[in-house]
Amino acid sequence: MKKTEVVPDVYWVGAVDWNIRKFHGETFISNRGTTYNSYLITDEKVALVDTVYTPFADEMIERIRHIVPPEKIDYIIANHVEMDHSGSLAKILNLCPKAKVFCTAKGKEGLYKHYYGNWDFHVVKTGDKLSLGKKTLTFIEAPMIHWPDSMFSYLIEDELLLSNDGFGQHLATSERFDDEVDEGVLMDEAKKYYANIIWPFSSIVFKKIDEITKLNISPKIIAPAHGIIWRKSPGRIIERYMSWTKNESENKVIVVFETMWGSTGKMAGKIVEGLIDAGIRVQLYDVTKTVRTEIIKEMLDAKGYILGSSTHDNDMLPTIAGFLTFLRCMKPKNRVASVFGSHGWGGGAVRNIENFLKDMGIEILQPSLAVQYAPDEAELEKCYEFGLNFASLLLKNKIMQNV
Ligand code: FEO
């Protein structure tokens, strides 16, 4: 088994989960798997930073054993309680029962409530330091990135930030570093991860990056707990995070619809034609055919959303209802939207989607467009104009924002 050294005497001892597709239940569909990254620091004291999801405990232990006997571990740093990072704690602590477990106060509470282990907990706060010999770890509490217990650990001498969920990607690869993988794929996965996991906590992340900068921490390497380690371009991912945390968006429109017999789908096609003819970048998604995780990723930096649904029993169809519920959890800011759909008699989907979006604080740019049964030529022309008009209002909205 090859040793993977991140910097001298710091090793990646995690696991690659090539085949996971449903992460966090079904909240994240990962078509490229993931990794659970643990890091072993071998100084005068031996420290393990984070563990791996339970089914991969033996793989992590084998990697550790290849470097030092696990019995030699003095400290375990538990940056985060969630089971993808803490799931192997009990098993590793069986091998090094005297190891001290360092975590935040919320971490201690959360770990106890998961595993009920009477472990030797040491609660740390931002700025606390732990000397390992030549190397020193310092801790930075990072509540809600991604749970209340979360923290980052920073190896001062190596300028290495162990950021746990922050800056991660669900990406399984044989390579471990950003200079070894396709940059387009890496950034796409980092964006997907941010959009679907970190987006709701954007204001917290913004403040945390600012706080880290004020602590004079400027990491040369960022080693997250999922995916690839940023050693070539840590500045690049920080820059992207700053843009995402500010909810910056482009003049791009995402059209998402669900259709029962095809009429709402036809409307969507014509609306997209209008948007394209107005010179706007568009992505069109039938929500029953594209996984939500991909659509949310595209919505992260899109200024405009157009949502459509056929009416069923006076309401929207169930897949788009679930999609909107997830979108609401992401708390998008500074977005504009419009709504369309076909109905038979009473209608309801269009009105309910519009109200849902308004309740999310999204500005509705123009009156909704509803069509009875199948759209005729004149109604399809109205759909085209709806797209054209949305584009025009979107561009004006941008101009107003820039004033
Ligand atoms: Fe990767 Fe919040 O756990």
Side-chain angles (χ1 to χ4, degrees):
M1 186 177 266
K2 189 182 141 208
K3 295 176 190 171
T4 304
E5 206 170 36
V6 179
V7 293
D9 300 323
V10 178
Y11 299 89
W12 176 84
V13 289
V16 180
D17 192 348
W18 294 97
N19 288 300
I20 191 168
R21 292 294 178 266
K22 294 176 181 175
F23 195 86
H24 280 162
E26 291 199 16
T27 62
F28 192 108
I29 305 300
S30 174
N31 54 10
R32 290 196 173 103
T34 194
T35 73
Y36 312 106
N37 297 341
S38 305
Y39 299 96
L40 187 74
I41 307 169
T42 55
D43 202 342
E44 289 160 31
K45 295 288 186 183
V46 175
L48 178 67
V49 180
D50 292 320
T51 71
V52 297
Y53 184 36
T54 324
F56 297 86
D58 289 342
E59 185 177 334
M60 178 191 75
I61 289 166
E62 194 186 342
R63 288 187 195 283
I64 294 170
R65 202 179 291 289
H66 209 60
I67 298 160
V68 294
E71 295 73 18
K72 298 267 187 199
I73 294 172
D74 299 289
Y75 306 136
I76 297 180
I77 317 302
N79 279 324
H80 183 19
V81 167
E82 198 161 11
M83 295 163 98
D84 47 336
H85 309 294
S86 68
S88 303
L89 255 177
K91 199 156 190 175
I92 191 74
L93 276 164
N94 278 340
L95 298 175
C96 52
K98 291 191 177 161
K100 297 174 174 27
V101 179
F102 291 79
C103 58
T104 61
K106 287 277 181 199
K108 180 180 172 182
E109 275 173 35
L111 288 171
Y112 186 77
K113 278 299 292 170
H114 275 76
Y115 306 108
Y116 302 96
N118 288 313
W119 300 329
D120 187 5
F121 285 111
H122 289 252
V123 168
V124 293
K125 301 186 295 302
T126 295
D128 287 353
K129 290 186 172 55
L130 176 65
S131 173
L132 305 176
K134 295 184 193 69
K135 297 178 191 281
T136 316
L137 276 168
T138 187
F139 304 104
I140 304 155
E141 291 166 277
M144 301 320 296
I145 313 172
H146 142 246
W147 278 11
D149 53 84
S150 297
M151 69 174 184
F152 299 161
S153 299
Y154 185 64
L155 203 51
I156 296 171
E157 293 77 6
D158 294 303
E159 298 173 280
L160 168 63
L161 182 67
L162 300 149
S163 57
N164 196 269
D165 277 338
F167 308 106
Q169 334 89 44
H170 286 313
L171 177 58
T173 50
S174 47
E175 297 77 21
R176 301 272 66 82
F177 298 98
D178 57 349
D179 48 280
E180 299 173 328
V181 297
D182 183 285
E183 188 167 335
V185 170
L186 174 60
M187 293 311 290
D188 192 63
E189 289 300 332
K191 180 180 175 186
K192 193 189 296 178
Y193 183 98
Y194 187 95
N196 286 274
I197 298 173
I198 310 287
W199 196 0
F201 313 115
S202 287
S203 60
I204 296 168
V205 179
F206 180 84
K207 284 180 195 147
K208 188 55 58 183
I209 294 174
D210 187 52
E211 180 191 322
I212 289 173
T213 307
K214 284 178 180 152
L215 289 169
N216 281 327
I217 289 176
S218 177
K220 277 193 183 149
I221 302 175
I222 299 176
H226 294 293
I228 291 294
I229 298 165
W230 305 90
R231 72 177 175 192
K232 183 183 84 172
S233 56
R236 174 121 196 267
I237 189 62
I238 291 174
E239 196 180 295
R240 293 309 300 146
Y241 261 56
M242 287 309 277
S243 169
W244 294 329
T245 59
K246 287 187 265 184
N247 265 277
E248 289 177 350
S249 61
E250 301 169 19
N251 284 336
K252 180 172 92 170
V253 176
I254 308 300
V255 181
V256 186
F257 72 95
E258 183 172 7
T259 192
M260 200 157 68
W261 289 108
S263 293
T264 299
K266 267 189 198 164
M267 293 175 75
K270 274 290 169 189
I271 290 168
V272 164
E273 253 184 66
L275 289 162
I276 291 171
D277 286 358
I280 293 284
R281 262 198 321 131
V282 187
Q283 291 282 333
L284 171 66
Y285 296 106
D286 176 339
V287 74
T288 66
K289 293 195 168 70
T290 302
V291 293
R292 184 193 58 240
T293 309
E294 289 290 333
I295 306 173
I296 294 288
K297 177 197 76 183
E298 290 301 325
M299 290 178 123
L300 176 64
D301 54 10
K303 175 85 177 163
Y305 303 159
I306 300 183
L307 281 302
S309 175
S310 313
T311 289
H312 177 264
D313 291 341
N314 300 115
D315 213 330
M316 65 190 96
L317 291 172
T319 309
I320 200 142
F323 177 86
L324 282 171
T325 301
F326 191 88
L327 179 65
R328 180 174 61 190
C329 296
M330 299 302 103
K331 301 184 174 68
K333 303 268 188 307
N334 312 323
R335 313 294 156 137
V336 294
S338 284
V339 183
F340 68 99
S342 158
H343 62 274
W345 45 100
V350 161
R351 180 190 65 237
N352 289 348
I353 292 176
E354 192 173 306
N355 287 337
F356 196 100
L357 294 169
K358 281 180 186 164
D359 287 347
M360 285 170 60
I362 292 182
E363 182 187 352
I364 303 297
L365 271 193
Q366 61 182 349
S368 298
L369 182 61
V371 161
Q372 189 183 24
Y373 293 122
D376 61 17
E377 281 306 312
E379 286 165 329
L380 287 174
E381 184 58 28
K382 277 189 183 167
C383 293
Y384 177 79
E385 284 161 12
F386 185 85
L388 278 179
N389 195 50
F390 187 88
S392 162
L393 293 168
L394 178 91
L395 294 170
K396 278 184 201 155
N397 188 280
K398 182 79 177 176
I399 290 162
M400 282 172 69
Q401 276 213 339
N402 286 342
V403 168

